[in-house]
Amino acid sequence: APGRPWEWVDAAWDSVSRTLHTNTSRLGAFALLRDDAPPEVTPRPAPAHSQRGAYSRWELTAHAVDRASGVDGRNSALTVDGIRVPTEWDAERSVLRWRPLHAPPAGRHRFQVEVVDHAGNRAVRTGAFVITSR
């Protein structure tokens, strides 16, 4: 429908028949686009300490945008101190997030953000954060 955003539909190339194959549940206009640009990723500053409360509100986040095929939240992840951590993709806010049960221990921690789009393009950013003693 006019004015609605495009939706990503994956397709597989058949080199023998030289055709693309895909499945869709909708009829309408289709466009063949080539996405060879990686997503844009901006790590956000991590809080230096956790706030007191009934549960931890500490989180490590990164803003991620892909203007073509869209961010693939299932294949995007955060790694902290060399360990891949449970990560959630908030598509409405374009934020990749790790919310541990408790903030990491005091000290310096290294992290890596890996964001993959639906076309398989990948962007990686690294950084560090410091947790002060509580």
Side-chain angles (χ1 to χ4, degrees):
R4 290 184 48 190
W6 288 92
E7 292 182 26
W8 172 260
V9 178
D10 198 13
W13 174 252
D14 183 339
S15 61
V16 174
S17 66
R18 298 180 50 81
T19 58
L20 287 167
H21 295 273
T22 190
N23 292 318
T24 182
S25 60
R26 296 183 181 180
L27 297 177
F30 292 86
L32 178 61
L33 304 172
R34 180 180 180 146
D35 179 5
D36 56 6
E40 300 168 21
V41 181
T42 307
R44 294 182 173 166
H49 59 280
S50 62
Q51 298 174 342
R52 299 218 183 264
Y55 56 91
S56 174
R57 293 178 189 225
W58 190 93
E59 62 184 9
L60 179 62
T61 61
H63 185 259
V65 176
D66 186 81
R67 301 188 197 297
S69 61
V71 172
D72 182 354
R74 289 183 181 186
N75 290 311
S76 300
L78 287 156
T79 302
V80 177
D81 296 331
I83 299 170
R84 189 173 174 144
V85 296
T87 308
E88 68 177 332
W89 169 241
D90 183 339
E92 291 179 8
R93 292 193 172 103
S94 299
V95 171
L96 194 63
R97 173 184 302 119
W98 173 48
R99 289 186 188 170
L101 190 56
H102 304 286
R108 182 178 171 84
H109 301 272
R110 299 201 48 74
F111 69 88
Q112 175 179 299
V113 181
E114 179 181 8
V115 178
V116 180
D117 68 15
H118 289 287
N121 300 308
R122 171 179 179 262
V124 176
R125 301 290 179 269
T126 59
F129 61 90
V130 175
I131 301 291
T132 59
S133 59
R134 298 176 220 275

